[in-house]
Amino acid sequence: MRIRAKPRESIVGERAPYFWTGCAAISIGVILHLPMLAMAHEMGNHLAGMPMDMGMHAGMALIAVGAALACFGALPKNCAPHGDHAGTSYEAPDSTPLNRWHAATLLVLTLGLIIDVMKPATLGFVLPGMATEYGIDRSKVALLPLVALTGTTIGSFLWGWLADIYGRRVSILLSTILFVSTAICGAMPEFEWNLVMCFLMGISAGGMLPVIYTLLAEVMPPRHRSWVLVLVGGTGLVGGYLAASGAAYVLEPIFGWRALWLQGFPSGLLLLALARFIPETPRFLAERGRTVELAEMQRKFGLQPKPRPVQPPTDAPSPAGHRQITVALTITALSWSFVNFGLLLWLPSDLQARGYSAEIASGILAKSSLLAFPTILLAAFFYARHSSKWTLVGTVSLTLIGLLGALLPPELLSWEPVLVSVIAILIVGTNGTIAVLLPYTAENYPLGTRGRATGLVAGSSKFGGVAVQVAALAGFAPTLVGAALALLLPTAASAGMIAWAGRETQGRSLRELEAE
């Protein structure tokens, strides 16, 4: 099929003026909230119970109008169906070296991941100050992480679906716009408004992670794709937590907990300013007839036509095979979420219940985390050099070994070296699993469903956090042994299902992998 060339479009499509007008309205709306914050700074950074001034009301109206304009401007007029009608797909040959365009894309998308992870990580730092200022008890303040994690779970599904229909870059830009808008969470004088804004912030933050993985999988050369996905994802996770803790250390003593939410404003604007370095999936460009942009991407990223193989590979999954790997990956994500948000989250309390002081418990966790620090580099090495499938099976198996270690007799676990080793194995296993789970998911699905599938697994990896917060509100706190017993079977099942239903993706062409 011959595709008629169209003029080069803006980085946000044919209706760019609407998009940038919306961005300007949102920015002005956020700025109009700052005078109230400046006034509160002179009164110990307290805003609780104060009425909103006219500037804040006008700012919220501008943000609502601006968000609608930005969405209208970013979404294309028509969404092309995915398929071979575009003529071909595009992929860089294995011999393609990473160049400055690859490097710029990696840096910008890593920044996006850091910003994405930073917001949920900030929750732990704002809760004490928020509870004190609003004068609410611990059970009520626990509603904040509950609504935030619920938002991230919904956002993973929403933005993955949007990315499959309208494109990866559009989804990233709209997620960023919503992220900037919800920076006003720090200016809300009522706790209920914080819940609303934090829910919307969670939706925006939940969308970046799966979409970035799918985009990187589609523009990187196959030889470099595996290690790039794991390393960028791991760096984003670690960088997000470091950014959140660093900001809390620098800003909170001076400006209070509210300043931590406002980080989303400058960081989101920075990501928008760098949007020209975020490419679109080449096949989206081909399907929409944007051949000028496609030719430019071919030049920058070394892309070449890559038609679908006439005969699918022998291990290409059938529709039943796709269902099996989807079930396996979803169970893996759910198991990981309960280990991470359930067992590991409650470890400090469990250690103190065992007779350790808070200082010693923190020291044990610090030693365990230090032993687990090289996990991301090791996972990237094995994933890229040996096997993607068996690296994931191996990290889940390490988690399983850690769970078995938690069931050792209490007198043996009371010996600190054994306890540190068990916790370190759990942290190594969980860090390694999440570092490779989403990259492996992104490589296993065709272009038309890759965003949704990765969003499903990403959302499942956060569901445990929602369930644990509901349990906390109900007054239930799991013990190390109880949580390990409950998670043993699903973790073992997920490792077995991936070993059985998974396939090798390391170094293989996405075009071959998506052929059925």
Side-chain angles (χ1 to χ4, degrees):
M1 176 181 177
R2 183 179 178 82
I3 303 172
R4 184 171 58 88
K6 293 182 180 180
R8 189 182 188 280
E9 295 182 13
S10 156
I11 62 170
V12 290
E14 303 164 335
R15 299 180 286 205
Y18 292 101
F19 177 81
W20 294 116
T21 301
C23 291
I26 290 169
S27 300
I28 295 170
V30 175
I31 291 171
L32 286 174
H33 286 74
L34 298 183
M36 279 281 284
L37 281 172
M39 181 179 64
H41 180 60
E42 300 174 359
M43 301 182 295
N45 298 307
H46 281 235
L47 272 174
M50 296 179 64
M52 293 186 184
D53 62 14
M54 289 298 296
M56 291 182 71
H57 284 292
M60 292 181 77
L62 278 172
I63 288 171
V65 172
L69 280 174
C71 290
F72 177 76
L75 295 176
K77 293 180 180 178
N78 301 298
C79 57
H82 304 309
D84 284 334
H85 73 281
T88 187
S89 188
Y90 294 82
E91 193 169 62
D94 260 345
S95 58
T96 306
L98 296 181
N99 58 34
R100 61 193 178 100
W101 296 106
H102 292 105
T105 299
L106 291 176
L107 288 173
V108 174
L109 294 183
T110 301
L111 173 65
L113 280 179
I114 290 173
I115 294 171
D116 180 66
V117 173
M118 180 177 65
K119 278 302 177 184
T122 301
L123 283 169
F125 298 101
V126 304
L127 291 180
M130 178 178 287
T132 301
E133 179 173 344
Y134 289 115
I136 53 181
D137 58 28
R138 187 176 179 181
S139 62
K140 188 173 181 180
V141 80
L143 288 171
L144 190 75
L146 173 61
V147 299
L149 290 169
T150 302
T152 61
T153 304
I154 294 172
S156 296
F157 297 111
L158 173 64
W159 299 109
W161 169 80
L162 192 70
D164 279 342
I165 295 177
Y166 293 108
R168 319 308 190 201
R169 184 168 56 190
V170 167
S171 184
I172 291 172
L173 292 179
L174 291 182
S175 175
T176 304
I177 278 297
L178 185 57
F179 190 77
V180 171
S181 304
T182 53
I184 61 171
C185 185
M188 296 295 103
E190 301 294 337
F191 177 67
E192 289 72 20
W193 273 110
N194 272 276
L195 294 179
V196 173
M197 291 299 168
C198 208
F199 175 72
L200 295 174
M201 187 183 293
I203 289 178
S204 66
M208 198 79 74
L209 193 66
V211 180
I212 284 178
Y213 278 121
T214 60
L215 177 56
L216 282 175
E218 291 159 351
V219 299
M220 290 293 143
R223 181 163 61 96
H224 299 289
R225 186 184 66 233
S226 296
W227 70 263
V228 162
L229 284 172
V230 177
L231 197 60
V232 168
T235 303
L237 289 169
V238 174
Y241 283 104
L242 287 175
S245 58
Y249 178 76
V250 173
L251 298 177
E252 193 169 9
I254 303 172
F255 300 104
W257 62 270
R258 294 179 178 276
L260 301 183
W261 288 138
L262 287 172
Q263 296 172 96
F265 181 50
S267 57
L269 291 182
L270 175 61
L271 191 58
L272 284 175
L274 298 173
R276 66 178 63 254
F277 298 110
I278 302 175
E280 181 56 274
T281 298
R283 193 159 158 199
F284 274 87
L285 299 177
E287 287 170 345
R288 291 180 187 146
R290 293 161 63 175
T291 53
V292 176
E293 290 174 86
L294 181 57
E296 189 175 348
M297 273 203 72
Q298 286 184 265
R299 178 181 62 82
K300 290 177 177 178
F301 292 89
L303 301 172
Q304 293 181 9
K306 183 76 174 183
R308 180 193 291 258
V310 177
Q311 294 294 329
T314 56
D315 68 340
S318 64
H322 268 307
R323 287 194 292 271
Q324 290 163 358
I325 190 62
T326 300
V327 171
L329 294 172
T330 302
I331 292 176
T332 302
L334 287 169
S335 301
W336 178 88
S337 71
F338 280 103
V339 173
N340 186 68
F341 292 109
L343 191 150
L344 292 177
L345 186 68
W346 291 103
L347 256 182
S349 300
D350 185 79
L351 291 175
Q352 290 180 47
R354 289 170 180 263
Y356 294 98
S357 68
E359 183 179 358
I360 294 176
S362 299
I364 289 174
L365 291 173
K367 292 174 186 176
S368 304
S369 300
L370 187 62
L371 290 173
F373 185 72
T375 302
I376 293 169
L377 292 177
L378 286 172
F381 174 79
F382 283 108
Y383 190 93
R385 292 298 183 92
H386 295 282
S387 169
S388 56
K389 169 184 172 179
W390 293 109
T391 298
L392 180 55
V393 172
T395 57
V396 176
S397 299
L398 272 178
T399 305
L400 182 63
I401 293 171
L403 293 174
L404 289 170
L407 300 178
L408 290 171
E411 56 271 16
L412 190 56
L413 274 179
S414 63
W415 190 35
E416 187 173 318
V418 174
L419 185 59
V420 168
S421 299
V422 168
I423 297 173
I425 291 172
L426 277 171
I427 295 175
V428 167
T430 53
N431 283 359
T433 297
I434 199 61
V436 301
L437 178 59
L438 292 181
Y440 184 71
T441 303
E443 291 179 319
N444 261 287
Y445 291 85
L447 179 132
T449 58
R450 186 172 293 131
R452 275 168 282 193
T454 310
L456 169 65
V457 175
S460 300
S461 72
K462 294 158 185 164
F463 178 78
V466 178
V468 167
Q469 291 302 323
V470 171
L473 287 172
F476 173 73
T479 63
L480 180 63
V481 174
L485 276 172
L487 295 169
L488 207 58
L489 184 59
T491 304
S494 66
M497 290 183 71
I498 293 171
W500 170 61
R503 57 179 173 156
E504 187 56 57
T505 62
Q506 187 267 326
R508 294 184 59 190
S509 163
L510 284 182
R511 194 62 167 150
E512 293 176 1
L513 287 169
E514 72 178 9
E516 293 184 2

